[in-house]
Amino acid sequence: MLDLPFFLDTLSTLIGGVPLTLQLTVLSVSSGAMLAFALALMRVSGNPLLDYPARFYIFAFRGTPVLVQLYIVYYGLSQFPVLRQSMLWPFLREAYWCAVIALALNTAAYSAELIRGGLNSVAVGQIEAARALGMSRTLAFRRIILPQAFRQMLPAYSNEIILMVKSTALASTITLLEVTGLAAKLISQSYRPVEVFIGAGAIYLTINFLIARLCAALQTALSPEKRAAPAPARSPETEAPRHG
């Protein structure tokens, strides 16, 4: 049976790893989103010199496990003397930044296709109407294409954020003590994996539930057609007569 006091103590210990989990998620998702946006623009540019390198990047990072990518960044880059002597080495020798880099490169590959799909979902007629009104390409992209593309990709992108929260668990393999790292440490000390893993799972479930609800609320706020219309005010003429 579940040892409730031990479970509560375990849960309080695992909560200490939540800030690191959130840091890894926020940094990897935000930096990966910037790279993904550039890759998506390369994909829709119509220029083979930009399109094919982006295709190869997306194919390579979507076709290989994120754990392998994490190991290559953490263990592999140190084999190159030019990197050990560069200004990047203070970052690349730290497990924290290696995890952020690997997760960001991975999520960029998936997010780029989501952004490309959102950009392509905008009707051509709306773009032509914007050009007919005298909008420049940049202005039409900022006011017409980008807002609609963001609304279209938001549901799928929320799933990508949730996947990145779960992917931060792999950072424990390179000595980072986030939620999963602390769980592994507790198991090695107590030999009681049931309570520890249930506690870790509950924390991840709570974080992802909050992210899903936040993204759903944002999608509703950005989609006027999904908001409930206010009830029309009744005028005195439309009210039913009262008979005493």
Side-chain angles (χ1 to χ4, degrees):
M1 295 179 63
L2 187 68
D3 188 345
L4 187 58
F6 177 75
F7 175 75
L8 294 178
D9 291 340
T10 297
L11 197 61
S12 63
T13 302
L14 294 178
I15 289 176
V18 171
L20 180 55
T21 295
L22 295 180
Q23 287 178 27
L24 293 174
T25 303
V26 171
L27 288 176
S28 60
V29 169
S30 57
S31 55
M34 292 186 286
L35 178 57
F37 187 71
L39 290 170
L41 293 181
M42 294 169 65
R43 290 281 283 115
V44 301
S45 65
N47 186 347
L49 296 178
L50 297 176
D51 184 19
Y52 283 103
R55 284 175 181 263
F56 176 77
Y57 177 94
I58 293 170
F59 171 77
F61 278 89
R62 292 178 67 182
T64 55
V66 62
L67 182 60
V68 173
Q69 299 165 16
L70 180 62
Y71 282 169
I72 290 176
V73 174
Y74 183 66
Y75 295 110
L77 296 182
S78 60
Q79 297 181 7
F80 299 97
V82 64
L83 290 177
R84 294 199 302 269
Q85 299 170 5
S86 67
M87 294 184 296
L88 299 176
W89 184 241
F91 296 96
L92 295 178
R93 69 183 180 185
E94 297 291 336
Y96 178 87
W97 291 112
C98 287
V100 170
I101 292 171
L103 294 175
L105 293 176
N106 181 268
T107 190
Y110 289 90
S111 301
E113 288 297 279
L114 298 178
I115 296 174
R116 182 181 69 87
L119 294 175
N120 289 336
S121 68
V122 181
V124 178
Q126 297 190 38
I127 302 174
E128 293 177 348
R131 299 301 303 275
L133 291 174
M135 291 187 182
S136 63
R137 290 182 178 271
T138 303
L139 187 60
F141 182 82
R142 181 168 59 87
R143 290 188 175 181
I144 305 298
I145 300 175
L146 196 58
Q148 296 187 65
F150 182 74
R151 287 197 298 267
Q152 292 294 330
M153 61 166 280
L154 185 57
Y157 193 67
S158 64
N159 292 334
E160 177 62 22
I161 297 175
I162 290 173
L163 288 174
M164 290 309 299
V165 172
K166 294 186 288 186
S167 296
T168 58
L170 298 175
S172 62
T173 62
I174 56 173
T175 72
L176 291 181
L177 293 179
E178 37 71 65
V179 174
T180 303
L182 289 176
K185 183 179 179 181
L186 286 174
I187 291 173
S188 66
Q189 295 172 348
S190 64
Y191 298 100
R192 303 175 70 172
V194 175
E195 293 91 342
V196 176
F197 280 137
I198 289 178
I203 291 175
Y204 283 115
L205 187 63
T206 302
I207 294 174
N208 290 330
F209 173 78
L210 294 176
I211 292 174
R213 297 308 303 167
L214 180 61
C215 291
L218 180 59
Q219 185 181 6
T220 301
L222 296 177
S223 304
E225 69 278 3
K226 293 187 178 182
R227 295 196 294 265
R234 294 188 302 175
S235 61
E237 292 79 5
T238 60
E239 293 183 352
R242 299 179 180 178
H243 300 283

